[in-house]
Amino acid sequence: TCPQCHRSASLDQRGLRGFQRNRLLEAIVQRYQQGRAAAAAAAKCQLCDRSPPEPAAVLCEQCEVLYCAACQLRCHPARGPFAKHRLAPPPAHPGAPGGGGDGGGGKGAGGGRKLPTCAEHDLENYSMYCVSCRSPVCYQCLEEGKHNKHDVKALGAMWKQHKAQLSQALNGVSDKAKEAKEFLVQLKNLLQQIQENGLDYEACLVAQCDALVDALTRQKAKLLTKVTKEREHKLKVVWDQINHCTLKLRQSTGLMEYCLEVIKENDPSGFLQISDALIKRVQVSQEQWVKGALEPKVSAEFDLTLDSEPLLQSIHQLDFIQMKFPVSVPPVPLLQLEKCCTRNNSVTLAWRMPPLSHNPVEGYILELDDGDGGQFREVYVGKETLCTIDGLHFNSTYNARVKAFNSSGVGPYSKTVILQTSDVAWFTFDPSSAHRDIVLSNDNQTATCNSYDDRVVLGTAAFSKGVHYWELHVDRYDNHPDPAFGIARINVVKDMMLGKDDKAWAMYVDNNRSWFMHCNSHTNRTEGGVSKGATVGVLLDLNKHSLTFYINGQQQGPPAFENIEGVFMPALSLNRNVQVNLLQSSPTYP
């Protein structure tokens, strides 16, 4: 069974040679081998004194020089500073067959390559295709062989039909591949967003836990202060009791010693003289030691019990809350000022939701004023958090704000960010909107064309107010073509001369004269044409709603068009006989 077409075949007396040959693969291998041989033959030594130079044997990747064997030994020895250089085989020649170009090996069937012959009839070429057997056959196979009653069609027609089917299938695969690439970009952006959100959430969590620790530390300090006050109070009470008891004990001891000395006296009359008073003093002293006087007024134990169990339970239960419905409106979005910027007359804004925000977000509404302090208007509604708005006014100050929404409603506005557009436009030719025959180079500042018909290319800037002037330099001008210079709307027709439809206003010019054109109407014929080296200026004054043209600094008649209003882009039409270089716009003009 063939692994490619999955058809079963029986071996006859020829064995494996009886199988159909994959001629397409043979042709690819042959072109590749021819390309390798031609590339090896084309690579020559760059240091040889001989004429012609010897074939190159190696390429030094550091020196970027091809050496033959003799020059390598003489000029690039494998020692000293050359010891670490990497030597590689000579590269494929860019013009060789299979080496990056056609190389003369890409001819059609019969264009230098031997036509395949029938496997059954060596002298016959394939001319038909058997639909039943799905294989090419010759004329003799139809007359004598097993295909004489099969459904057959012309080989060329089936070749084109199958090529078309393959191309159509490839288009489907190409679309899926494009979707896969976009999906990969989306996933990579998701990775970055997850990383950023993770870091934000970690920082927020650390801050919240630190705040809890700080609160606990402050509360600990308050509790310690209470304990300190209670301890100082107890100590003061005990010390006061010690001092009082010590004083009374000293008085009682003195009285006792005096009474003992009095009792020792043998003079009855003297004893009786003071005994009454002394007895009263002893009784008073005894009465001072009332019940409880010899008991401590405070306890050594502290009557303070810290109830930490609820707090410990709360700490153990501390966790991320789950989203529960109904939910409230989203919080205020945070504008990422480091990512907000302006370029020409476009502004880019970026924002994000605050970390640890628990309310879901279904989309955002971005609003912008008119650049003159007017009312805000919606310019974007969607799920993205990065938005670029084009086609704004130059030299204008715009205010922007954003808000989020979900099923519960619309959240509050963010802070307003102020963005200033450029004073003067800086633009190039736009490859994305140009006709496919337009050829751009020099960082999209130089334009020419592959076709003898006129094709249109637009600039990357759009103008809606103010005064704008730019110049174009004619680098090449052959066979007296009629290039056209002017302005156009974004939906201008691009496969004919600029100004032939109602979306463009232009001046087309030859080597002697110029004309203004709009809606295929030719007006204001003026003497003075262009040649190689000429400079064409375009002055768009949207304050006066007029368009004026210059050739080499000389105005071509009165203002070409008046009452021009709207949004316009610089435009040019040309064919392959002209090459034009864009000179950047300038705040000054003739």
Side-chain angles (χ1 to χ4, degrees):
T1 302
C2 175
Q4 182 173 350
C5 64
H6 305 291
R7 287 187 296 176
S8 298
S10 301
L11 294 176
D12 56 14
Q13 64 273 12
R14 293 177 296 174
L16 294 177
R17 289 176 296 176
F19 282 158
Q20 289 188 0
R21 301 179 65 84
N22 192 332
R23 292 182 301 279
L24 185 62
L25 182 59
E26 284 182 347
I28 294 174
V29 172
Q30 183 181 4
R31 287 202 304 269
Y32 176 75
Q33 291 175 343
Q34 290 175 350
R36 289 290 299 270
K44 301 294 184 181
C45 177
Q46 295 176 294
L47 296 180
C48 267
D49 295 332
R50 304 177 185 178
S51 183
E54 292 289 327
V58 293
L59 167 68
C60 177
E61 295 182 350
Q62 283 72 29
C63 302
E64 296 184 353
V65 175
L66 291 165
Y67 298 94
C68 65
C71 291
Q72 178 194 353
L73 296 175
R74 185 176 72 255
C75 305
H76 199 288
R79 61 179 182 275
F82 298 112
K84 295 184 179 180
H85 285 202
R86 177 180 174 83
L87 300 179
H93 191 275
D102 293 336
K107 298 180 181 179
R113 193 163 57 229
K114 183 180 178 181
L115 291 175
T117 58
C118 179
E120 301 289 340
H121 310 93
D122 296 338
L123 299 179
E124 295 290 339
N125 294 329
Y126 288 119
S127 58
M128 303 296 287
Y129 181 81
C130 179
V131 179
S132 302
C133 300
R134 293 187 296 176
S135 63
V137 296
C138 67
Y139 178 78
Q140 194 170 351
C141 289
L142 300 179
E143 295 292 333
E144 305 173 357
K146 60 182 180 181
H147 305 280
N148 57 348
K149 294 184 180 180
H150 289 179
D151 182 18
V152 295
K153 294 185 179 180
L155 185 64
M158 291 302 296
W159 174 56
K160 292 180 180 179
Q161 179 183 343
H162 282 211
K163 271 196 171 183
Q165 291 175 357
L166 180 59
S167 298
Q168 186 176 1
L170 283 177
N171 288 335
V173 175
S174 177
D175 293 340
K176 293 299 181 182
K178 184 178 179 181
E179 293 177 6
K181 288 181 180 178
E182 294 174 352
F183 181 62
L184 286 176
V185 172
Q186 180 182 353
L187 289 180
K188 290 180 180 178
N189 292 336
L190 183 61
L191 284 175
Q192 182 178 359
Q193 188 174 0
I194 291 174
Q195 183 71 14
E196 293 177 356
N197 289 345
L199 294 175
D200 290 341
Y201 271 73
E202 288 178 2
C204 228
L205 178 62
V206 170
Q208 287 182 316
C209 291
D210 289 344
L212 293 176
V213 172
D214 291 341
L216 185 60
T217 302
R218 290 193 297 270
Q219 189 64 24
K220 180 181 72 172
K222 291 181 181 179
L223 296 176
L224 287 175
T225 301
K226 287 185 178 181
V227 173
T228 301
K229 288 182 178 180
E230 181 70 14
R231 183 189 66 207
E232 291 176 351
H233 171 70
K234 286 179 176 290
L235 290 175
K236 184 178 182 302
V237 170
V238 172
W239 275 114
D240 290 344
Q241 197 171 8
I242 289 174
N243 293 333
H244 180 70
C245 185
T246 301
L247 177 61
K248 290 181 63 176
L249 180 60
R250 186 180 298 117
Q251 292 175 349
S252 298
T253 302
L255 180 61
M256 288 173 57
E257 291 177 350
Y258 177 69
C259 290
L260 290 175
E261 293 297 329
V262 170
I263 291 175
K264 291 179 182 180
E265 290 294 330
N266 294 324
D267 184 5
S269 58
F271 177 81
L272 292 174
Q273 186 179 359
I274 62 171
S275 61
D276 290 334
L278 193 58
I279 290 172
K280 288 182 180 180
R281 285 183 60 189
V282 171
Q283 289 176 346
V284 170
S285 176
Q286 184 179 0
E287 289 174 357
Q288 290 180 348
W289 298 99
V290 295
K291 183 178 180 180
L294 297 180
E295 295 179 359
K297 293 182 178 180
V298 295
S299 170
E301 302 297 329
F302 284 75
D303 296 331
L304 298 174
T305 302
L306 182 63
D307 187 11
S308 60
E309 187 62 28
L311 180 59
L312 288 175
Q313 290 182 358
S314 298
I315 292 176
H316 290 309
Q317 294 173 357
L318 185 63
D319 200 351
F320 301 102
I321 63 173
Q322 298 295 323
M323 190 65 62
K324 297 180 180 180
F325 293 94
V327 298
S328 58
V329 298
V332 179
L334 302 178
L335 286 168
Q336 296 181 278
L337 299 181
E338 68 279 2
K339 295 182 180 180
C340 298
C341 61
T342 63
R343 183 181 183 275
N344 275 341
N345 59 338
S346 66
V347 297
T348 299
L349 296 109
W351 60 89
R352 63 180 177 85
M353 295 305 294
L356 298 180
S357 59
H358 306 297
N359 296 325
V361 176
E362 295 180 6
Y364 301 93
I365 301 174
L366 177 63
E367 295 183 357
L368 204 69
D369 69 359
D370 60 357
D372 199 22
Q375 295 293 323
F376 281 91
R377 68 188 191 281
E378 292 184 3
V379 294
Y380 171 75
V381 178
K383 296 182 178 181
E384 299 297 328
T385 57
L386 181 72
C387 182
T388 298
I389 303 99
D390 298 316
L392 303 177
H393 300 312
F394 283 91
N395 193 23
S396 300
T397 301
Y398 286 89
N399 296 285
R401 63 188 184 183
V402 65
K403 58 184 177 181
F405 64 87
N406 58 18
S407 58
S408 297
V410 180
Y413 284 106
S414 67
K415 293 182 179 180
T416 300
V417 61
I418 301 175
L419 298 164
Q420 174 73 37
T421 54
S422 302
D423 294 341
V424 178
W426 179 272
F427 63 89
T428 62
F429 292 120
D430 185 8
S432 62
S433 63
H435 191 277
R436 61 179 178 272
D437 291 337
I438 293 291
V439 178
L440 301 180
S441 59
N442 188 26
D443 294 330
N444 296 330
Q445 296 187 63
T446 301
T448 185
C449 183
N450 282 331
S451 173
Y452 285 108
D453 297 322
D454 291 299
R455 301 296 187 234
V456 173
V457 58
L458 302 177
T460 55
F463 305 125
S464 56
K465 75 173 185 178
V467 181
H468 307 279
Y469 176 77
W470 61 95
E471 292 182 340
L472 303 105
H473 184 267
V474 180
D475 294 343
R476 180 167 53 82
Y477 187 81
D478 303 328
N479 301 324
H480 309 304
D482 298 329
F485 308 86
I487 59 174
R489 302 193 190 277
I490 186 65
N491 57 343
V492 64
V493 178
K494 299 184 177 67
D495 58 358
M496 61 184 181
M497 180 183 288
L498 192 68
K500 285 195 172 184
D501 65 353
D502 62 346
K503 303 297 191 299
W505 293 255
M507 174 189 73
Y508 75 94
V509 57
D510 60 16
N511 60 323
N512 293 318
R513 294 168 297 276
S514 66
W515 295 264
F516 302 152
M517 186 162 63
H518 173 63
C519 289
N520 204 22
S521 174
H522 308 252
T523 60
N524 292 67
R525 170 177 166 175
T526 305
E527 296 298 321
V530 296
S531 59
K532 180 180 179 181
T535 300
V536 177
V538 182
L539 174 60
L540 175 63
D541 189 344
L542 290 169
N543 296 334
K544 298 180 179 179
H545 309 290
S546 65
L547 180 65
T548 308
F549 296 99
Y550 300 84
I551 296 179
N552 295 327
Q554 298 297 319
Q555 182 173 335
Q556 294 300 103
F561 304 101
E562 296 180 346
N563 300 322
I564 295 178
E565 293 185 0
V567 179
F568 305 98
M569 309 178 77
L572 164 72
S573 69
L574 73 172
N575 63 17
R576 66 184 305 165
N577 291 318
V578 186
Q579 179 171 300
V580 172
N581 184 47
L582 173 64
L583 305 179
Q584 285 302 323
S585 60
S586 170
T588 61
Y589 47 88

